[in-house]
Amino acid sequence: MEDLEIMETFNHNCSRFATDSGQVLNVCFMLLLSVAITLGNVVSLTIFLGSRRFRTPQGYLKASLATADLAVGVLVIPYSIHTEIQTLLAGREEPQPQGFSPCFLIGPIFAGCTLVSVTTIFMLSVERGITVLKPLHKNLVVTRERTLWLIALSWLFCFLLAVSPLFLRGNITLEYNLCSKMCNYALSPGERQYYQEHKSTTWGGWSVMLLFPTFDISLLGATSVVNLVTFSAVRRFCRARKQVLTKAQHTHTGPAYSDLRAAKTILILTAFLLASVVPVAVLVVGSVLGVDWCRFSRYAFWLLACSSGWNVLIYSARDRRFRQRVQELFLGKGGSRRRVQGGAEPGRTPAVAHWGRGRSGRCVAVISNVLTPDFTVLTPEITIRHEVTTVTSLRRTEDR
């Protein structure tokens, strides 16, 4: 009997040690993710709002997206870290907050920021679509004032939608979920006990939660359609510019290369956000039907949280001006210029001059070296020409 008790105690201690180790790893992951999301989106906001070249409708929309992502890194994830540390110290027992629960603030913030991200991606897609399809009308249709008003209305609407389950259903509450490690909407304790006793699904209890996946999937589907139309137009423009070296096509009134590249960037952002939202939508539908997916809920919600840090990486990989501005922030303007001009010959700077087609059939940009004036070389010539001109004028004066 003593040996059996010793073995049971040993197994219990091992399992608790393994659980504690897993919680410590979870806390470390959350901490690194929070730092990465905060740092990346602070850099994005600094670039989009601090540089005059980025103060455009597209820049303001990206700043709105970065603000929503920053709120996740500053408010949502740190509360999960705090709660996990308390849970670890309390011995795997969920800490019961006294008085007002912070989840009533953190939960709607996470839901509202997710809805804002989806709405902003949709507006970015529409803005890029107008730029590619109607480049001559873009400045008339997409203005800064309209963009700022749309951003304000989208934030107001998304946060009203985020708190709507609390007002539409009296049996919905917010609590910290030990499975997802986040503040989630849930049934009130009395309603939950009722469904457990009657062994029925929770469809009538919180079917209002289907508002979130319905809104997200519908808007992301519309965003995908807009992006596909824009991308097909980009391919048509690439075909139209395959002989851009001729004078007739050099004056073609189509979107610029940066506009086409930005449209492809928005398509990538949409694909990443769609891949992050779909698992949460499936989880919500399963929860409404009464399915309990504990481990899947953790992966789904934290995949959605990770999407708040992907945007800055996509911008850095796709946008040359954004990448150059990041280098200027961290290395200074001198380091950025040396990096840009390091491979250029004296008196020449690399520039995108033409459009063409590669052997693989893709639309590519032909890079050519454009001569730039070297003032150290031209200054003596200008001085000599000035002296010759002065001497010639004096001779003409003497002849007269």
Side-chain angles (χ1 to χ4, degrees):
M1 289 295 295
E2 293 180 357
D3 294 338
L4 183 60
E5 291 179 357
I6 293 174
M7 289 297 297
E8 290 179 353
T9 305
F10 177 77
N11 294 331
H12 175 72
N13 292 333
C14 288
S15 61
R16 183 172 180 179
F17 176 77
T19 304
D20 293 344
S21 301
Q23 287 183 323
V24 171
L25 291 177
N26 288 335
V27 170
C28 293
F29 167 74
M30 294 175 186
L31 184 61
L32 291 176
L33 183 62
S34 178
V35 171
I37 291 175
T38 303
L39 179 61
N41 287 286
V42 166
V43 170
S44 297
L45 284 174
T46 304
I47 292 174
F48 291 133
L49 299 180
S51 301
R52 183 175 299 178
R53 69 173 68 177
F54 288 102
R55 292 175 190 170
T56 60
Q58 180 187 171
Y60 290 135
L61 289 171
K62 289 182 177 179
S64 173
L65 183 61
T67 304
D69 294 336
L70 181 63
V72 175
V74 172
L75 298 175
V76 178
I77 300 180
Y79 179 73
S80 297
I81 296 173
H82 170 72
T83 308
E84 281 298 301
I85 292 176
Q86 281 190 335
T87 305
L88 185 62
L89 296 178
R92 298 187 61 190
E93 293 182 1
E94 183 179 0
Q96 298 295 332
Q98 301 295 330
F100 177 77
S101 174
C103 276
F104 282 94
L105 178 64
I106 301 299
I109 287 177
F110 185 47
C113 289
T114 302
L115 296 173
V116 167
S117 299
V118 174
T119 307
T120 306
I121 290 291
F122 174 74
M123 291 191 291
L124 275 170
S125 302
V126 173
E127 188 268 342
R128 286 296 90 189
I130 295 174
T131 302
V132 172
L133 299 175
K134 300 290 183 180
L136 298 179
H137 300 81
K138 180 217 171 182
N139 293 330
L140 298 176
V141 177
V142 184
T143 61
R144 295 183 181 181
E145 291 77 13
R146 291 178 182 175
T147 303
L148 292 176
W149 273 107
L150 286 175
I151 290 173
L153 290 176
S154 68
W155 276 79
L156 179 62
F157 172 77
C158 290
F159 275 88
L160 287 177
L161 184 61
V163 299
S164 61
L166 298 176
F167 298 100
L168 295 178
R169 288 280 185 179
N171 54 1
I172 297 294
T173 185
L174 278 160
E175 62 181 22
Y176 186 81
N177 193 313
L178 289 177
C179 290
S180 64
K181 310 296 183 183
M182 283 191 176
C183 292
N184 298 143
Y185 290 92
L187 293 174
S188 60
E191 193 77 11
R192 195 181 311 161
Q193 184 179 1
Y194 171 81
Y195 284 106
Q196 289 177 355
E197 291 177 355
H198 291 77
K199 297 181 179 179
S200 61
T201 63
T202 60
W203 177 267
W206 58 314
S207 57
V208 68
M209 291 298 298
L210 291 177
L211 285 173
F212 292 162
T214 302
F215 178 83
D216 291 339
I217 299 301
S218 300
L219 201 58
L220 284 175
T223 304
S224 301
V225 172
V226 173
N227 284 326
L228 290 177
V229 173
T230 304
F231 189 70
S232 62
V234 169
R235 291 177 62 87
R236 289 198 302 271
F237 282 120
C238 288
R239 295 192 187 99
R241 288 176 171 180
K242 64 179 180 179
Q243 296 178 350
V244 74
L245 295 178
T246 61
K247 184 177 180 180
Q249 293 189 353
H250 185 68
T251 58
H252 179 67
T253 58
Y257 170 73
S258 59
D259 294 330
L260 300 179
R261 190 170 181 84
K264 296 179 181 179
T265 302
I266 301 304
L267 180 62
I268 296 174
L269 289 174
T270 304
F272 273 80
L273 186 59
L274 183 63
S276 303
V277 169
V278 167
V280 177
V282 173
L283 177 66
V284 172
V285 174
S287 300
V288 171
L289 296 176
V291 182
D292 187 14
W293 289 331
C294 184
R295 182 170 295 183
F296 178 70
S297 66
R298 183 183 307 175
Y299 295 148
F301 277 101
W302 284 98
L303 179 63
L304 182 60
C306 289
S307 65
S308 299
W310 292 344
N311 296 336
V312 64
L313 299 177
I314 297 174
Y315 298 150
S316 301
R318 298 286 303 174
D319 192 341
R320 180 182 58 84
R321 293 187 303 172
F322 184 88
R323 185 167 59 251
Q324 181 179 355
R325 186 72 181 113
V326 171
Q327 293 173 357
E328 290 177 359
L329 286 176
F330 289 98
L331 302 178
K333 293 186 177 180
S336 176
R337 288 174 182 174
R338 285 194 298 269
R339 184 179 293 271
V340 173
Q341 299 177 358
E345 298 178 4
R348 295 177 182 269
T349 56
V352 178
H354 311 294
W355 282 75
R357 292 285 258 179
R359 294 184 178 181
S360 61
R362 297 175 59 188
C363 181
V364 297
V366 180
I367 307 298
S368 63
N369 289 330
V370 181
L371 285 172
T372 57
D374 191 350
F375 292 102
T376 58
V377 178
L378 292 181
T379 302
E381 296 181 359
I382 294 173
T383 306
I384 294 173
R385 290 179 182 177
H386 178 70
E387 292 177 355
V388 172
T389 305
T390 306
V391 172
T392 305
S393 4
L394 289 174
R395 288 180 179 177
R396 287 179 180 178
T397 306
E398 292 176 358
D399 293 339
R400 290 179 182 177

